[in-house]
Amino acid sequence: MKIVVIGGTGLIGSKLVKKLRERGHDVLAAAPNTGVNTITREGLAEAMDGAQIVVDVANAPVWEDKAVLEFFETSGRNLLAAEAAAGVRHHVALSIVGSERLPDNGYFRAKIAQENLIKASGIPYTILRATQFFEFVGGIAQAGTVGDEIRLSPALFQPIASDDVAAALADVTLAPPVNGTVEVAGPEAIPLDEVVRRYLRATQDTRKVVPDVHARYFGAVLDDQSLTPGKNPRLGATRFEDWLGQSTAQAAR
């Protein structure tokens, strides 16, 4: 099958392209740097020609509320229109667990807008919602930094390895469309402040993590349901401690 991966050169996209090619499929890694732009529509019709499945893992280049909403709405409309014209049979998109529960976060609002466009498109689809990636924990620590302290909510957090997200995406891509949402999360729920504390310890960062139930996570106040999946999610195989050990060993080489 010809499969187009939008955002195919990024963190998740590059891993997904590799996994799908290993399974014998013709995979196009589509991104602005490979001549396919879902905002300007450059190369989009050509990329869709003969494609049976399209996977959208593109990420917005900006995080400002208005700009990120415009990105996902414009990209989504252009992509879905090109897919409809080409007769694509399955649209797969990567989204975020808990998006509808954190309306104070502009990025999450934009992902909900993207999901709504997909649901209204008439193209058979599967939305895979993932929890936050292990690779983002350093950025979460930075966002919570106030002076020499990192103030973070102790709400439950169930992050996942990007390799496990790519594996789940490959499976749903090659399965029939569910015309609904599938969730994938890491194997264990841990308080957010504790996740960051473990990360700092492994990276020999001496900053102090302070639990604060009022601390905002990119603009949103959290509870134990905010960033954790619902019933019966698919679970990744990689534990945070194992990923930490591997990533710090690689960084030391």
Side-chain angles (χ1 to χ4, degrees):
M1 284 190 296
K2 179 181 176 182
I3 303 171
V4 178
V5 178
I6 303 295
T9 60
L11 172 66
I12 299 295
S14 57
K15 294 175 187 288
L16 176 62
V17 166
K18 183 172 182 287
K19 288 180 184 296
L20 292 172
R21 284 177 178 164
E22 286 170 350
R23 297 193 192 186
H25 298 288
D26 173 18
V27 187
L28 173 63
N33 60 0
T34 66
V36 182
N37 192 315
T38 57
I39 298 297
T40 65
R41 298 196 290 272
E42 176 193 359
L44 195 53
E46 294 84 352
M48 294 298 123
D49 186 32
Q52 288 103 323
I53 302 172
V54 174
V55 188
D56 186 3
V57 295
N59 202 359
V62 288
W63 282 63
E64 188 273 322
D65 286 3
K66 185 170 181 287
V68 76
L69 180 62
E70 286 180 356
F71 173 86
F72 280 117
E73 288 190 329
T74 302
S75 176
R77 287 193 185 101
N78 290 342
L79 179 57
L80 291 163
E83 289 178 35
V88 168
R89 300 201 300 261
H90 188 187
H91 178 95
V92 179
L94 180 62
S95 194
I96 308 170
V97 164
S99 290
E100 78 287 356
R101 296 192 288 273
L102 297 175
D104 292 338
N105 182 299
Y107 191 91
F108 284 18
R109 290 198 302 272
K111 293 299 287 185
I112 290 294
Q114 179 192 32
E115 290 185 15
N116 288 339
L117 286 171
I118 294 165
K119 292 171 185 176
S121 71
I123 298 170
Y125 71 91
T126 303
I127 295 170
L128 180 70
R129 282 185 164 193
T131 52
Q132 310 302 304
F133 306 160
F134 292 161
E135 287 83 355
F136 293 166
V137 171
I140 291 168
Q142 201 57 41
T145 299
V146 180
D148 294 330
E149 295 180 342
I150 301 173
R151 305 191 74 85
L152 291 169
S153 169
L156 285 179
F157 189 59
Q158 199 164 335
I160 185 170
S162 61
D163 282 338
D164 291 342
V165 175
L169 263 174
D171 287 347
V172 301
T173 296
L174 300 176
V178 301
N179 293 315
T181 302
V182 178
E183 290 189 323
V184 64
E188 47 194 348
I190 312 166
L192 175 59
D193 62 317
E194 178 59 22
V195 170
V196 172
R197 201 172 285 113
R198 293 182 192 180
Y199 175 83
L200 297 183
R201 195 158 52 234
T203 56
Q204 299 181 336
D205 189 322
T206 58
R207 285 178 293 173
K208 181 183 179 183
V209 178
V210 178
D212 179 355
V213 294
H214 302 294
R216 289 183 175 265
Y217 177 86
F218 299 103
V221 176
L222 303 180
D223 60 31
D224 284 349
Q225 284 72 49
S226 299
L227 297 173
T228 50
K231 292 181 179 179
N232 302 316
R234 173 173 172 150
L235 296 179
T238 312
R239 293 173 63 252
F240 185 59
E241 293 295 329
D242 295 335
W243 176 86
L244 266 180
Q246 293 163 6
S247 59
T248 51
Q250 287 171 357
R253 286 176 190 163

